[in-house]
């Protein structure tokens, strides 16, 4: 699913931002190589196998890319072979990765490849995107980011509508070096304080569609239809 959006770009966004993303992400990968190797080894043991988690996410223009993270949930299944609920698969090691945001480090490779930016709207799931209205979909006019305004203004303790409003504010207030630097510095502070890692009362973040259904903002029939639409988008991209 490709969206067409051509926001007017300033000099920084058009000529500097991508270059800085590449240089800074590549440098971080080199500097953090010992940490990445250690977490890869620890994750292999803790997760009993592949320590990485790759998941399709809509990027700029709605184009699907595979975002890579360190795995925080095991593949534990019930007697029928079905995956256990998220809170049962999130072990102590996974909770540690999430609380320190270390699970996000492999996304530096997505930045090097040009699929992500250091700063931008946080890439959501395809099954979240299909529930967004036309205004909220404007978040896909730009490259998605490792961190963004929503992440430094409440992160997972924000309502979904608030998250999406912050994403649009990032775009509409002007994508500048000064604004990006402020967000990066605030992100570092958030990481060290371990603030807003999880939604209060939940082990993992709630999908947008599930939130809308729970709040009575979407009918069950519409919910089911849009979930099927998300599956079709992913199936089409994987052909």
């Amino acid at each position: 699913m490709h969206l067409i959006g051509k926001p007017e770009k300033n000099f920084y966004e058009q000529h500097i931002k991508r270059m800085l993303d590449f240089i800074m992400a590549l440098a971080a990968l080199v500097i953090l190589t010992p940490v990445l190797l250690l977490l890869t080894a620890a994750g292999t043991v803790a997760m009993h196998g592949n320590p990485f988690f790759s998941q399709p996410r809509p990027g700029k223009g709605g184009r699907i890319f595979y975002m890579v993270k360190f795995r925080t949930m095991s593949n534990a299944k019930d007697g029928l072979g079905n995956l256990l609920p998220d809170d049962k698969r999130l072990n102590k090691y996974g909770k540690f990765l999430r609380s320190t945001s270390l699970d996000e480090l492999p996304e530096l490779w997505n930045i090097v490849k040009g699929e992500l930016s250091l700063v931008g709207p946080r890439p959501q799931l395809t099954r979240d995107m299909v529930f967004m209205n036309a205004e909220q979909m404007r978040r896909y006019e730009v490259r998605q980011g490792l961190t963004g305004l929503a992440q430094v203004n409440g992160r997972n303790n924000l309502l979904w509508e608030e998250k999406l409003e912050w994403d649009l504010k990032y775009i509409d207030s002007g994508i500048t070096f000064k604004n990006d630097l402020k967000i990066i510095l605030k992100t570092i502070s958030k990481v060290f304080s371990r603030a807003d890692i999880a939604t209060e009362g939940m082990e993992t973040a709630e999908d947008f569609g599930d939130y809308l259904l729970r709040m009575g903002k979407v009918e069950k029939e519409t919910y089911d239809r849009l979930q099927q639409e998300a599956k079709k988008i992913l199936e089409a991209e994987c052909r």
Side-chain angles (χ1 to χ4, degrees), residues 24-212:
M24 293 176 70
L26 186 61
L29 282 172
V30 173
I31 293 170
L32 295 173
T33 293
V35 176
L36 291 166
L37 291 176
L38 178 62
L39 291 176
T40 298
T44 300
V45 175
M47 298 298 164
H48 305 288
N50 186 0
F52 297 101
F53 175 70
S54 178
Q55 188 176 53
R57 300 282 179 108
K60 183 179 179 180
R63 297 176 183 85
I64 302 297
F65 73 98
Y66 282 82
M67 190 172 79
V68 184
K69 303 175 69 173
F70 279 120
R71 186 179 296 278
T72 59
M73 291 191 290
S74 71
N75 289 320
K77 300 178 180 179
D78 60 22
L80 298 176
N82 300 312
L83 286 173
L84 293 175
D86 290 353
D87 61 332
K88 301 295 183 182
R89 295 189 291 124
L90 184 62
N91 57 30
K92 290 182 178 179
Y93 178 72
K95 289 180 180 179
F96 165 74
L97 288 182
R98 290 193 179 194
S99 68
T100 56
S101 296
L102 289 171
D103 60 316
E104 309 282 358
L105 288 181
E107 291 168 45
L108 291 168
W109 179 240
N110 290 118
I111 297 175
V112 170
K113 292 168 64 179
E115 296 164 334
L116 280 180
S117 177
L118 282 171
V119 180
R122 186 76 180 136
Q124 304 298 339
L125 296 167
T126 305
R127 62 176 178 264
D128 295 325
M129 180 182 70
V130 296
F131 284 92
M132 296 178 192
N133 60 38
E135 176 68 6
Q136 293 165 340
M137 288 288 283
R138 289 200 300 111
R139 70 193 303 281
Y140 294 105
E141 292 175 347
V142 300
R143 190 176 280 112
Q144 309 294 278
L146 179 64
T147 186
L149 269 183
Q151 282 60 55
V152 298
N153 285 284
R155 197 175 177 178
N156 287 324
N157 270 323
L158 292 171
L159 294 176
W160 263 100
E161 291 90 348
E162 294 173 327
K163 287 183 187 179
L164 299 175
E165 285 173 5
W166 280 114
D167 291 341
L168 296 181
K169 184 174 182 180
Y170 172 72
I171 296 171
D172 295 338
S173 62
I175 298 176
T176 65
F177 175 74
K178 181 180 179 180
N179 288 341
D180 279 2
L181 182 60
K182 284 182 179 179
I183 292 171
I184 290 172
L185 293 177
K186 286 183 179 180
T187 298
I188 294 172
S189 175
K190 287 280 186 178
V191 168
F192 280 105
S193 66
R194 302 190 182 186
D196 304 316
I197 298 297
T199 306
E200 290 185 16
M202 298 182 182
E203 289 288 352
T204 57
E206 186 176 30
D207 291 351
F208 190 26
D210 293 344
Y211 161 78
L212 292 174

